[in-house]
């Protein structure tokens, strides 16, 4: 109790609350800029916390983190461009909803889902940290590879109207992930003698190019047919964001399921929001009685993606606090900030520094409320993006994309790759290919390859993947996932055929 009271006193100090508020605003803005990731925002925040008390510094970075997980929603919903990798699935339904005239509803759904997802993950962090941390540390490369195989089967449910085109897009993504240095030995491969390919295609460059550049080209092409921005904003302002809270709470199963998915994936070191938002979206689609409406602007899609990616914030802290193992790059930076202050992160953290750990729990909850307040009060400002003329917004967003891509590695060659990938994405979009499977392949390909090779280097017997119980469970789930997706696709085609027959 003394530790909790000490933590409360530190978190609710006026200076700490003000710093956290600034951090929340900075995280939201940073994540809304395509290419400027939450990790980059945290890295920039880290030096500013060196002069603060340990808990105060961590609280500020958690505010940036929570705000950033929500900020990617803004550009995803209003521009169709995910501000961060964890907002990829949000574009599937938030952007169509905004284009139909409900941008305020799309943003509000995402904000409230993020808020509740963060709170739910914080509860899991407090209650279930020890058992989840123990489970996560037991996973070896065999289990991780099987988990990624299961995650890759999500491609089957993101293929759109054509299974063949969707699978081809997924294979293209996997192929892109193999270009560059070997992840185990560091040897160059598939660079075809081209110097700029020797280091591979950076994931964020691919993400920005595939979604942002292709979307901007589509906007230019369809500029005359797009509904006027002024009307969009008028509709959105008439829509009360507080009413959306009831709509989100009316889907408790979807909200809780997606949040649990985010917590579980966040607790796995190396995983994160970029995977959890897609898995949560996929599970919501599978559980829906009307899966065919996903991708057309359904609220359940927005709720699932945003609750799933925001819940990884609490999930990622589970192995960090319980084991001293960072669950993501952001958690690694948090760990570094504690080590700068001479605090050893590991199983004894909660014993030796109880006030710090309880303070992190409290900071997570406070940060979620700050994110909600900032987002709701700034909603009308965000919605002004919708009424900005296309001739102004396209070059502005393009500039942000270019700056964000260059800032990753400070390489001019990344800009050439950005343009090339953008043209490929535009061509695929024009030909009717789904871009989500490609991005999923790029995200999961390196993780799958690394863990497969580590497993075989540890033990060359491939039956280990089937004899280890957790690995086998993931592989069985993958088979069932593919079977369900094929059945669902055939059922949808059959229903469409019946409708066409009646129409004729």
């Amino acid at each position: 109790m003394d530790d909790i009271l000490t933590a409360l006193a530190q978190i609710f100090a006026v200076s700490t609350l003000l710093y956290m508020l600034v951090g929340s605003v900075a995280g939201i803005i940073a994540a809304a800029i395509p290419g400027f990731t939450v990790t980059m925002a945290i890295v920039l925040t880290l030096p500013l916390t060196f002069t603060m008390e340990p808990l105060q510094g961590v609280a500020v970075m958690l505010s940036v983190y929570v705000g950033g997980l929500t900020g990617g929603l803004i550009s995803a919903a209003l521009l169709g461009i995910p501000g961060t990798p964890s907002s990829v699935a949000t574009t599937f339904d938030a952007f169509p909803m905004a284009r139909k005239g409900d941008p305020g509803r799309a943003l509000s759904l995402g904000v409230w889902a993020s808020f509740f997802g963060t709170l739910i993950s914080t509860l899991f962090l407090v209650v279930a940290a020890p058992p989840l941390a123990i489970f996560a540390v037991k996973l070896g490369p065999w289990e991780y590879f099987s988990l990624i195989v299961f995650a890759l089967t999500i491609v089957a449910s993101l293929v759109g109207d054509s299974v063949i085109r969707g699978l081809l897009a997924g294979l293209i993504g996997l192929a892109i992930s193999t270009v560059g240095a070997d992840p185990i030995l560091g040897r160059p491969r598939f660079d075809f003698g081209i110097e700029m390919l020797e280091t591979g295609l950076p994931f964020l460059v691919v993400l920005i190019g595939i979604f942002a550049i292709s979307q901007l080209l589509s906007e230019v092409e369809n500029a005359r047919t797009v509904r006027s921005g002024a009307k969009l904003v008028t509709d959105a302002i008439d829509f009360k964001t507080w009413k959306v809270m009831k709509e989100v709470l009316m889907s408790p199963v979807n909200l809780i399921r997606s949040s649990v998915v985010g917590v579980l994936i966040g607790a796995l070191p190396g995983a994160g929001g970029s995977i959890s938002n897609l898995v949560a979206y996929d599970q919501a689609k599978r559980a829906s009685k009307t899966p065919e409406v996903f991708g057309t602007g359904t609220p359940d899609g927005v709720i699932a993606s945003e609750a799933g990616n925001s819940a990884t914030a609490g999930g990622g802290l589970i192995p960090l606090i319980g084991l001293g193992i960072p669950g993501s790059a952001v958690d690694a930076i948090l760990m570094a900030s504690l080590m700068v202050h001479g605090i050893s992160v590991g199983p004894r953290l909660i014993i030796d520094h109880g006030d710090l750990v309880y303070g992190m729990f409290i900071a997570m909850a406070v940060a979620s409320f700050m994110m909600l307040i900032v987002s709701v009060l700034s909603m009308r400002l965000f919605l002004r993006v919708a009424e900005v003329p296309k001739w102004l917004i396209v070059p502005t967003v393009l500039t942000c994309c270019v700056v964000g891509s260059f800032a990753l590695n400070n390489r001019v060659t990344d800009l050439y790759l950005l343009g090339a990938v953008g043209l490929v994405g535009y061509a695929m979009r024009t030909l009717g290919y789904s871009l989500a499977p490609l991005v999923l392949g790029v995200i999961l390909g390196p993780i799958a390859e690394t863990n497969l090779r580590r497993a075989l280097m540890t033990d060359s017997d491939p039956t280990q993947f089937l004899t280890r119980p957790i690995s086998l469970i993931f592989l069985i789930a993958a088979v069932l996932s593919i079977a369900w997706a094929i059945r669902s696709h055939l059922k949808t085609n059959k229903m469409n055929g019946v409708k066409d027959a009646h129409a004729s």
Side-chain angles (χ1 to χ4, degrees):
M1 184 58 68
D2 290 340
D3 288 336
I4 295 175
L5 292 175
T6 302
L8 284 169
Q10 292 186 60
I11 292 296
F12 285 96
V14 175
S15 58
T16 303
L17 291 175
L18 287 175
Y19 285 135
M20 289 180 68
L21 180 62
V22 173
S24 183
V25 173
I28 292 173
I29 294 175
I33 301 173
F36 200 94
T37 66
V38 181
T39 304
M40 294 169 66
I42 293 287
V43 169
L44 293 176
T45 306
L46 179 60
L48 303 177
T49 64
F50 289 163
T51 58
M52 301 179 183
E53 293 295 318
L55 179 54
Q56 187 180 59
V58 171
V60 172
M61 287 194 286
L62 286 175
S63 297
V64 176
Y65 189 19
V66 172
L69 288 173
T70 304
L73 158 75
I74 298 169
S75 57
L78 300 181
L79 304 174
I81 303 169
T84 63
S86 60
S87 301
V88 170
T90 304
T91 62
F92 300 163
D93 283 291
F95 186 54
M97 185 182 292
R99 295 299 288 268
K100 289 178 181 178
D102 283 329
R105 184 182 177 208
L107 286 175
S108 299
L109 282 168
V111 168
W112 280 109
S114 294
F115 170 69
F116 288 120
T118 305
L119 285 185
I120 291 171
S121 74
T122 303
L123 289 175
F124 268 88
L125 174 63
V126 175
V127 175
L132 279 176
I134 292 172
F135 170 76
V137 80
K138 286 183 177 179
L139 296 184
W142 300 271
E143 287 78 14
Y144 270 111
F145 174 74
S146 299
L147 171 63
I148 299 305
V149 169
F150 169 61
L152 281 170
T153 62
I154 296 172
V155 169
S157 65
L158 298 177
V159 294
D161 297 330
S162 172
V163 173
I164 295 177
R165 288 181 178 179
L167 293 177
L168 280 175
L171 289 174
I172 292 172
L174 289 173
I176 289 174
S177 71
T178 63
V179 176
D182 181 320
I184 300 295
L185 302 177
R187 296 173 180 171
R189 61 182 184 180
F190 303 124
D191 56 15
F192 306 104
I194 302 174
E195 186 177 350
M196 72 173 70
L197 296 180
E198 289 180 356
T199 55
L201 279 72
F203 164 65
L204 283 170
V205 172
V206 175
L207 177 70
I208 296 170
I210 286 293
F211 279 104
I213 304 301
S214 65
Q215 179 63 41
L216 291 176
L217 291 173
S218 297
E219 290 290 342
V220 172
E221 182 182 10
N222 302 322
R224 296 182 180 180
T225 60
V226 175
R227 192 179 173 196
S228 68
K231 186 68 168 65
L232 282 174
V233 172
T234 301
D235 290 348
I237 291 176
D238 290 340
F239 192 88
K240 301 297 183 182
T241 186
W242 296 101
K243 291 182 180 179
V244 182
M245 179 183 69
K246 295 181 180 179
E247 187 174 359
V248 173
L249 293 176
M250 288 297 287
S251 301
V253 176
N254 184 22
L255 178 64
I256 295 173
R257 179 185 56 243
S258 302
S259 299
V260 171
V261 167
V263 170
L264 292 174
I265 291 180
L268 302 176
S274 59
I275 297 176
S276 65
N277 77 111
L278 289 163
V279 175
Y281 182 89
D282 176 67
Q283 294 304 308
K285 184 176 179 180
R286 292 172 186 270
S288 174
K289 295 180 180 179
T290 55
E292 65 277 1
V293 302
F294 278 72
T296 62
T298 180
D300 284 338
V302 182
I303 293 171
S305 173
E306 285 301 308
N309 82 60
S310 292
T312 57
L317 290 176
I318 292 171
L320 177 67
I321 292 174
L323 304 164
I325 300 174
S328 66
V330 172
D331 296 317
I333 299 169
L334 289 173
M335 184 175 176
S337 71
L338 293 175
M339 293 173 69
V340 166
H341 290 282
I343 296 173
S344 178
V345 181
R348 290 192 57 84
L349 178 63
I350 196 168
I351 299 173
D352 299 334
H353 303 281
D355 59 333
L356 176 64
V357 174
Y358 289 117
M360 293 171 71
F361 296 161
I362 298 168
M364 282 286 293
V366 173
S368 65
F369 278 97
M370 284 189 172
M371 176 278 296
L372 177 66
I373 293 170
V374 171
S375 298
V376 170
L377 294 180
S378 306
M379 191 73 69
R380 296 191 180 195
L381 180 62
F382 295 151
L383 289 166
R384 294 301 171 187
V385 173
E387 70 176 344
V388 177
K390 289 291 183 292
W391 59 265
L392 180 60
I393 199 169
V394 169
T396 302
V397 174
L398 180 62
T399 301
C400 291
C401 292
V402 170
V403 171
S405 299
F406 180 77
L408 294 174
N409 301 302
N410 292 322
R411 292 197 304 249
V412 176
T413 53
D414 282 355
L415 302 183
Y416 301 145
L417 293 174
L418 176 70
V421 172
L423 291 175
V424 171
Y426 174 70
M428 293 180 66
R429 188 190 291 266
T430 304
L431 294 173
Y433 282 80
S434 176
L435 300 181
L438 187 150
V439 172
L440 193 63
V442 174
I443 294 173
L444 300 180
I447 304 174
E449 180 188 2
T450 300
N451 283 287
L452 174 62
R453 294 178 62 179
R454 282 177 179 170
L456 295 177
M457 289 170 66
T458 304
D459 189 335
S460 59
D461 181 8
T463 61
Q464 287 283 334
F465 292 100
L466 300 176
T467 56
R468 297 174 71 96
I470 298 176
S471 175
L472 180 61
I473 290 172
F474 284 137
L475 291 177
I476 292 174
V479 173
L480 294 175
S481 174
I482 294 173
W484 183 92
I486 293 175
R487 176 180 174 275
S488 178
H489 189 78
L490 292 175
K491 184 179 179 181
T492 302
N493 286 345
K494 184 177 179 180
M495 291 176 61
N496 291 336
V498 172
K499 289 180 181 178
D500 293 338
H502 282 300
S504 59

